[in-house]
């Protein structure tokens, strides 16, 4: 007789990571793949983070600082915001889980986009809540529609800005107006994992609104531009009241000492972050322009990836040539995929693969 899991788990699928590199290597007989599927920083991490890890390594037999005091102090200095407004986490994904655990009861509703980071919905369902999904409009959050979807049962609304997987942003004017109109009993969760990549003047500096809106929670991470995805460290900027509730449901030692130390060092290396942002923008513009030559369109991106859609199949073609991208479903297109930005050499290789493919098709 099997042990029965919770009924709600029948509605939930594990997070889909696609085929492993090992499986793809066996399938296509290719020893090396260009992994352009997981939105990692192709330029790595700051050397200062590596140096900090070496200094911390003699102390790994000790439990980490549960309050992450050093990192909160550095974040406080970085943003000119009191330390009490920061909560450190095992990646920003943990913060999503903690928020839902602390605030969503059975049958409570959480409003979110229909094509966004899937862990919002998963965590809401696990806690017995209802995920109210609002369709994107041209790859962007439809804030007016999301506002109209808020009811007396709504406890939380998720805005991923820039949005994963489409890479789009909502304007600071629209987002500010949305925040002002959301009822105070509803938590506004702004997931800004790709905050540092955004270069548009229309992007909202949301931390400036924290003092005026106690129901606002901002999520950020060291996994993206800081290049520390393997260490899992994120943080929230939020009110003291909400932080106090999340501390009740988080694990005591939720962030290991190596992650805390590396994150503090990475935060201080502003030149590295600036360099990554600038190179990323150059490559983003370059790749988007070149993809359009093959009829592959992209949503306007403010991240380190492009969400591309094509009327002709290219995903398997890219995999057969050692380029791994992330496939998505998009109504009206034969194939849609998210491609993480790489180096110029990566992009030139990809363009050459497409060029040969489309030339051969035209000959036939």
């Amino acid at each position: 007789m099997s042990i029965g899991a919770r009924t709600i788990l029948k509605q939930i699928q594990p997070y889909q990571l696609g085929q492993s590199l090992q499986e793809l290597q066996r399938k296509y007989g290719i020893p090396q793949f260009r992994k352009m599927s997981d939105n990692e920083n192709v330029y790595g991490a700051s050397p200062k983070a590596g140096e900090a890890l070496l200094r911390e390594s003699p102390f790994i037999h000790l439990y980490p600082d549960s309050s992450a005091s050093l990192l909160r102090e550095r974040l406080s200095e970085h943003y000119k915001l009191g330390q009490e407004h920061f909560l450190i986490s095992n990646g920003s994904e943990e913060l999503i889980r903690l928020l839902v655990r602390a605030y969503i009861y059975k049958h409570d509703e959480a409003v979110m986009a229909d094509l966004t980071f899937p862990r919002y919905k998963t965590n809401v369902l696990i806690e017995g809540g209802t995920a109210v999904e609002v369709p994107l409009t041209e790859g962007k959050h439809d804030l007016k529609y999301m506002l109209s979807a808020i009811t007396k049962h709504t406890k939380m609304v998720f805005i991923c800005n820039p949005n994963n997987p489409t890479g789009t942003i909502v304007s600071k004017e629209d987002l500010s107006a949305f925040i002002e109109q959301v009822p105070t009993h509803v938590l506004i969760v702004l997931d800004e994992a790709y905050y540092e990549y955004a270069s548009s003047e229309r992007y909202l500096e949301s931390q400036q609104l924290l003092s005026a809106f106690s129901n606002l929670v901002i999520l950020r991470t060291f996994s993206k531009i800081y290049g520390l995805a393997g260490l899992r460290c994120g943080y929230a900027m939020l009110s003291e009241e909400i932080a106090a509730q999340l501390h009740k449901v988080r694990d005591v030692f939720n962030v290991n000492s190596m992650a805390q130390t590396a994150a503090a060092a990475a935060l201080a290396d502003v030149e590295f972050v600036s360099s990554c942002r600038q190179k990323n923008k150059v490559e983003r513009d370059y790749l988007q322009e070149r993809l359009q030559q093959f009829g592959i369109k992209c949503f306007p991106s403010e991240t380190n990836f492009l969400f591309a859609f094509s009327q002709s199949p290219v995903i398997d073609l890219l995999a057969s040539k050692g380029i791994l991208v992330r496939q998505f479903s998009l109504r009206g297109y034969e194939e849609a995929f998210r491609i993480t930005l790489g180096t110029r050499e990566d992009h030139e290789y990809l363009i050459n693969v497409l060029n040969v493919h489309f030339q051969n098709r035209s000959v036939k």
Side-chain angles (χ1 to χ4, degrees):
M1 179 178 178
S2 62
I3 300 174
R6 293 173 57 189
T7 304
I8 191 63
L9 296 186
K10 294 180 180 179
Q11 302 180 35
I12 297 171
Q13 296 295 325
Y15 188 79
Q16 298 298 312
L17 292 173
Q19 290 180 290
S20 69
L21 288 178
Q22 291 79 7
E23 291 171 327
L24 290 166
Q25 286 166 349
R26 285 195 298 268
K27 180 177 180 180
Y28 294 106
I30 298 174
Q32 191 74 26
F33 267 82
R34 296 169 194 259
K35 188 164 169 271
M36 304 175 75
S37 56
D38 289 339
N39 300 346
E40 296 147 335
N41 186 349
V42 69
Y43 305 110
S46 164
K48 294 182 179 179
E51 294 165 4
L53 289 174
L54 290 175
R55 292 194 299 269
E56 183 66 22
S57 60
F59 309 105
I60 59 174
H61 62 292
L62 302 176
Y63 283 112
D65 175 5
S66 178
S67 63
S69 54
L70 173 63
L71 183 51
R72 286 193 300 112
E73 178 184 334
R74 297 290 171 80
L75 285 165
S76 176
E77 295 170 353
H78 184 77
Y79 288 111
K80 305 297 187 289
L81 185 67
Q83 294 184 37
E84 66 275 10
H85 293 290
F86 293 94
L87 191 149
I88 313 303
S89 62
N90 190 284
S92 55
E93 185 177 344
E94 184 194 23
L95 291 164
I96 298 165
R97 183 171 69 253
L98 297 181
L99 284 162
V100 173
R101 181 182 295 176
Y103 287 97
I104 294 291
Y105 297 88
K106 191 173 183 181
H107 304 310
D108 283 342
E109 295 175 353
V111 177
M112 63 197 69
D114 64 340
L115 183 58
T116 190
F117 188 50
R119 300 303 289 177
Y120 309 145
K121 180 178 180 179
T122 298
N123 281 285
V124 168
L125 293 178
I126 288 173
E127 296 301 330
T130 300
V132 179
E133 296 178 277
V134 174
L136 296 175
T137 299
E138 296 181 352
K140 298 181 181 180
H141 286 73
D142 189 330
L143 296 182
K144 290 183 178 179
Y145 193 165
M146 295 183 81
L147 191 64
S148 70
I150 295 175
T151 71
K152 64 180 180 180
H153 302 293
T154 306
K155 292 292 291 294
M156 198 172 294
V157 57
F158 289 96
I159 306 291
C160 190
N161 193 45
N163 186 44
N164 181 13
T166 59
T168 57
I169 63 168
V170 289
S171 72
K172 58 185 177 184
E173 296 84 6
D174 290 345
L175 185 52
S176 296
F178 175 84
I179 292 171
E180 289 178 0
Q181 296 176 76
V182 171
T184 55
H185 74 275
V186 176
L187 276 179
I188 306 167
V189 183
L190 289 185
D191 187 345
E192 298 182 343
Y194 298 91
Y195 162 78
E196 291 84 4
Y197 284 114
S199 57
S200 172
E201 294 181 355
R202 303 197 68 194
Y203 188 71
L204 177 67
E205 290 291 344
S206 57
Q207 66 269 16
Q208 299 174 358
L209 302 179
L210 280 169
S211 60
F213 299 95
S214 59
N215 60 333
L216 178 63
V217 179
I218 301 167
L219 312 183
R220 293 183 184 167
T221 183
F222 289 96
S223 293
K224 304 306 178 186
I225 205 167
Y226 291 101
L228 301 180
L231 291 176
R232 310 305 299 128
C233 189
Y235 59 97
M237 292 186 279
L238 67 181
S239 71
E240 290 184 75
E241 177 186 350
I242 298 174
Q245 301 307 317
L246 299 192
H247 279 300
K248 296 177 183 179
V249 295
R250 74 172 178 89
D251 291 338
V252 178
F253 301 113
N254 61 327
V255 183
N256 69 76
S257 56
M258 303 294 273
Q260 292 182 36
T261 299
L267 185 68
D269 196 346
V270 293
E271 291 182 2
F272 175 81
V273 172
S274 178
S275 173
C276 289
R277 182 187 300 112
Q278 292 172 9
K279 288 186 287 189
N280 182 82
K281 186 178 186 308
V282 169
E283 292 306 315
R284 186 172 64 205
D285 293 344
Y286 170 78
L287 183 58
Q288 181 162 351
E289 181 179 348
R290 296 303 303 273
L291 288 176
Q292 289 175 348
Q293 296 175 359
F294 302 103
I296 300 173
K297 299 181 180 180
C298 303
F299 288 128
S301 174
E302 290 291 332
T303 63
N304 68 330
F305 61 84
L306 293 171
F307 191 90
F309 29 96
S310 172
Q311 296 291 1
S312 59
V314 296
I315 296 173
D316 286 342
L317 163 72
L318 295 178
S320 71
K321 300 299 182 180
I323 303 170
L324 182 60
V325 299
R326 182 76 181 274
Q327 185 170 15
F328 284 88
S329 297
L330 185 66
R331 187 170 56 250
Y333 292 89
E334 184 173 337
E335 287 197 306
F337 57 95
R338 188 189 67 193
I339 180 167
T340 305
L341 297 171
T343 64
R344 177 58 61 92
E345 193 273 333
D346 289 326
H347 297 157
E348 289 178 344
Y349 175 79
L350 182 150
I351 296 303
N352 184 61
V353 167
L354 292 174
N355 193 43
V356 171
H357 171 70
F358 282 100
Q359 281 183 351
N360 289 341
R361 285 188 60 186
S362 64
V363 170
K364 293 178 183 179

